[in-house]
Amino acid sequence: MLRDPGYRRALLFCALIGIPVSALAFWFLAALHELEQLVWTDWPKDLGWPHAPWWWPFPAFALAGLVVPLVAGRLPGRGGHVPAAGLHSGGPTRAAIPGVIIAALFSLPLGAVLGPEAPLIALGGGLALVFRDLARAPASPRSTALLGAAGSAAAISAIFGNPLVAGILLMEVAGVGGPQLFAVMLPALLASGIGSVIFSGFGQWTGFKTGSLAVGLPAPPVLDTGDVVWSLLMGLVIGAAVHVLVVGGRYVAVFVSGRLLPHTTLCALAAGGCIALFAVSTGRSPSEAALSGQATLSQLAKDPHAWSVGALVAVLVFKGAAYVLCLGSLRGGPVFPALFLGGAAGALLAPLPGLGLVPAMAAGMAAAATSALRLPVSSVVLVAIMLGHSGSVPVIVLASVISFMAAELLPQGPVLSGRPA
């Protein structure tokens, strides 16, 4: 393939379009961040509150519930994929770009419990085709698929901050290997996780020492027996719980499709009610349960003791319920809310005998992300990179594999189309 001049030209063109696509993706994310800051921090302070009051989610979610169905019903691409259908890379079009942008701008900054990854994938794929047409490059089904995947990968790198995650994610999302990919990958991933425990050791057993790629950075705490055992159970329980949430989102999507405008508005208001109940029951800012949870997850990881057991339970219950409603009604991606829910569950379970905070949150995040995405390799790489060290990789892998198996074996609920009409 590399000897094919046409493929080499396409490869060069992909490298060139990666520059403007990445830049536009950055500014799109910057706009989302500024709007989120404006709605949930600046405006409440300007009106005299230290943080958004408990009722603040209602007008924000009401606006999202009114605009998103109008975009989905009247603009090409329906504002992007329904989040409950998972991440998809196929079918990027230029015509869908305005709808994707508008739906994301009226979902994510207004509090939707979703992340920006799905709009970025659609935006990157569509922009790549725009630049291809501007350059008057020849169009073919092969080049369209290649450029769409390249543009999506360039855009998604902006949110994950790492090209490795973007590349692996798009490879799994595209499903190049089909079912055979998972048939080969899952046992390999499981065996590598167990092998990592054997060589790295845990508790008083130091494992078998072998060659290392370490360059002298500080090592994380050694895993304990409890960390490994609990990670298996967490993979099963958290994976099954997040699967139930995703299936619930699919039923919400079916409900919304019956009468798009009134049902979307109703679900959005219900999601806002969940966020308001969190604020009322805990006295905390509703923004901690709204939005994707990316910033709140970082705060939780830095200071988990700032969250009481009651607050952790409340955020799992109310954010989880809002996640279900947003998955089926608004626009965005399922990744970061799942990561937050898994991390919060890990922090809640960390006091279990023999379980440490870091491996607990790592296993919880891996289990939740894998169950929501059904992309175990991407989830493992993403969580490992987020942690910044390899010490917890064995529990991440084990929790991810168990979670994937649990989610696949449980009832799947209604089937949603992966591509917007």
Side-chain angles (χ1 to χ4, degrees):
M1 186 180 296
L2 289 175
R3 298 180 187 276
D4 181 0
Y7 182 80
R8 292 199 298 267
R9 286 194 296 269
L11 201 61
L12 175 61
F13 191 72
C14 286
L16 294 176
I17 65 171
I19 300 172
V21 169
S22 297
L24 290 171
F26 169 80
W27 289 112
F28 175 69
L29 285 175
L32 291 177
H33 175 74
E34 290 300 321
L35 287 173
E36 177 184 316
Q37 178 75 15
L38 186 68
V39 172
W40 294 93
T41 302
D42 294 344
W43 284 352
K45 288 184 177 180
D46 291 342
L47 293 173
W49 290 292
H51 56 72
W54 67 268
W55 53 263
W56 195 262
F58 285 110
F61 275 86
L63 181 58
L66 289 172
V67 174
V68 170
L70 294 177
V71 173
R74 300 186 181 185
L75 293 182
R78 299 183 61 83
H81 299 98
V82 176
L87 293 180
H88 297 274
S89 64
T93 63
R94 298 178 304 164
I97 292 177
V100 168
I101 293 176
I102 296 172
L105 291 176
F106 279 90
S107 289
L108 304 178
L110 293 178
V113 184
L114 299 167
E117 61 279 358
L120 280 173
I121 290 176
L123 182 62
L127 287 173
L129 301 185
V130 170
F131 290 119
R132 179 197 64 185
D133 294 343
L134 289 175
R136 297 183 180 179
S140 67
R142 180 184 177 185
S143 67
T144 298
L146 183 64
L147 290 174
S152 295
I156 205 71
S157 294
I159 184 61
F160 291 127
N162 190 292
L164 181 61
V165 178
I168 293 176
L169 180 70
L170 264 296
M171 180 183 70
E172 282 196 286
V173 167
V176 176
Q180 188 66 26
L181 173 66
F182 288 95
V184 174
M185 170 272 301
L186 201 62
L189 189 63
L190 178 59
S192 67
I194 295 174
S196 180
V197 174
I198 296 299
F199 281 98
S200 62
F202 57 90
Q204 299 299 314
W205 180 56
T206 58
F208 299 116
K209 297 304 177 184
T210 183
S212 174
L213 299 177
V215 293
L217 294 174
V222 177
L223 292 176
D224 199 355
T225 307
D227 298 327
V228 177
V229 173
W230 284 118
S231 69
L232 296 173
L233 296 175
M234 289 174 65
L236 177 62
V237 174
I238 295 176
V242 172
H243 172 73
V244 170
L245 298 182
V246 173
V247 170
R250 293 172 186 167
Y251 280 106
V252 171
V254 173
F255 170 74
V256 165
S257 65
R259 297 181 64 190
L260 195 59
L261 179 58
H263 288 181
T264 301
T265 305
L266 178 63
C267 290
L269 284 172
C274 293
I275 304 302
L277 285 173
F278 165 80
V280 169
S281 62
T282 62
R284 303 176 72 98
S285 171
S287 64
E288 293 180 324
L291 307 167
S292 69
Q294 184 179 3
T296 311
L297 177 60
S298 177
Q299 297 169 7
L300 174 63
K302 291 178 181 177
D303 188 13
H305 300 293
W307 289 71
S308 66
V309 171
L312 288 173
V313 172
V315 79
L316 287 171
V317 171
F318 294 119
K319 190 179 183 75
Y323 183 46
V324 172
L325 294 162
C326 293
L327 279 173
S329 60
L330 300 179
R331 292 297 183 266
V335 177
F336 287 103
L339 285 169
F340 175 84
L341 292 172
L348 182 64
L349 297 173
L352 288 171
L355 183 59
L357 176 66
V358 173
M361 291 190 66
M365 290 161 62
T370 302
S371 182
L373 298 180
R374 306 298 172 83
L375 306 175
V377 177
S378 299
S379 300
V380 167
V381 173
L382 174 59
V383 175
I385 289 177
M386 289 177 69
L387 291 181
H389 60 74
S390 61
S392 297
V393 167
V395 298
I396 293 172
V397 171
L398 295 176
S400 179
V401 172
I402 297 299
S403 172
F404 181 82
M405 294 173 62
E408 284 293 318
L409 293 175
L410 288 171
Q412 302 300 306
V415 177
L416 303 180
S417 172
R419 298 187 181 191

